[in-house]
Amino acid sequence: MSWLDDDGDDELDDFDESRIRVRPNPKANRPRTKRRPAHSDAEIGRVLGVDRGRYQVLLGEGTPEERMLTAARARELRRTPIVTGDAARVVGDRSGEDGTLGRIIGIVERTSLLRRSADDTDQVERVIVANADQMLVVVAAADPEPRERLVDRYLVAALDAGIRPLLVVTKTDLADPAEFLRHFEGLDLRVFTSARGEMPVEEIGSALVGHSTVFVGHSGVGKSTLVNALVPGAGRATGHVNEVTGRGRHTSSSTVSLRYVSPAGSGWVIDTPGVRSFGLGHVDPQNILAAFTELAAIAEDCPRGCTHRSDAEDCALNEAAADGRLGPAGLARLESLQRLLATFADKL
Ligand code: GDP
Ligand code: ZN
């Protein structure tokens, strides 16, 4: 599997000071070692954004020494994607003063990873966000028309990554979302509704406290409007954008982390303008099933390799449904599970 870095360009890494090496004495026959100093003085910071090979890293988060640092990636990390949300190990000048440049020598093991592939069969993946624990899916009640399949794909991507999904339906002043929302009744999914002039800023905000929440949604659904309401000063471009050139959307052309602050506490909003959908080529069906705890317990009696789809023979879930053991709520959940499993059925 090949990894691409998020920004897709490496050329600026050529400025990386780690490139300046002391040439080994050609007469010495000691083999060159790839090992480097342990850098026990590395400090861990939060990557807030990436721009042309330069990383914005927050150090000393929540302390009086909190500061923003610009950092480059060490040369040996060329093949390691470093993305928004990563906990980076930084050495070098960490003052954050103008003109200084820190160096990222590694990243802390991620708790979650949101990826996309170019399409479902493309094995080349892009890492989008690291360490998020929630995903807020933004969909409009109208303009653009909501598509349940698209939301399903977001949900699958979130559940596969072990990220808790939340849903907000915007523009409920334009249409009633009740029918659309019925599709998601069988899921453990917190749903917010939002209308012009009636944004549920406090409700959504309280769900953000203590979490790192990645916002996803198709262009035009009102995601930037929502982010700006939640994070004053975020300055995410809203309104008319040229889908092809992306012009007019200058301030939201990359994935960034923004701090949500309220009297109840703080959290991180990770806005992802470039992500219209997720390829699901890498999804593990077990991760989807695991999100349906009580169904996963029943599925332990399934034959090996069971797809759990509605046409699967000897599937313990289908048997439980046929025997009336699931009840109406359980049936709705099984339907939701099977719909999500069908979202990437070609993988099974
Ligand atoms: P984004 O592409 O998802 O970031 O969407 P924007 O935040 O740029 O919003 C797209 C358009 O929808 C803008 O013209 C907003 O003013 C409009 N909009 C956002 N929220 C609402 C809403 O709740 N109701 C209505 N009627 N329009 C909205
Ligand atoms: Zn089964």
Side-chain angles (χ1 to χ4, degrees), residues 289 299 301-303 306-309 312-318:
L289 178 60
D301 292 331
C302 285
C306 182
T307 64
H308 315 303
R309 284 157 64 188
E313 288 191 19
D314 299 326
C315 173
L317 291 169
N318 289 331

Side-chain angles (χ1 to χ4, degrees), residues 138 143 169-174 194-199 217-226 228 236-241 243 249 252 271:
V138 187
D143 185 30
V169 185
T170 60
K171 310 198 189 185
T172 55
D173 51 303
L174 300 182
S194 180
R196 169 152 279 161
E198 279 175 67
M199 274 193 270
H218 203 274
S219 178
V221 295
K223 179 162 63 67
S224 302
T225 303
L226 193 61
N228 288 338
R236 304 304 271 171
T238 61
H240 317 281
V241 292
E243 286 267 331
R249 115 164 324 221
S252 28
D271 196 9

Side-chain angles (χ1 to χ4, degrees), residues 177-209:
E179 199 189 320
F180 170 74
L181 284 173
R182 259 196 288 284
H183 293 291
F184 306 101
E185 272 169 5
L187 300 168
D188 285 324
L189 184 64
R190 185 158 176 205
V191 178
F192 305 89
T193 55
S194 180
R196 169 152 279 161
E198 279 175 67
M199 274 193 270
V201 172
E202 274 175 29
E203 292 93 318
I204 294 178
S206 69
L208 300 179
V209 172

Side-chain angles (χ1 to χ4, degrees), residues 115 125 156-157 160 279-288 344 347:
R115 306 171 286 190
E125 295 179 339
V156 165
D160 182 56
L280 301 176
H282 56 268
V283 168
D284 180 351
Q286 284 310 117
N287 293 341
I288 310 306
F344 55 100
K347 266 257 314 184

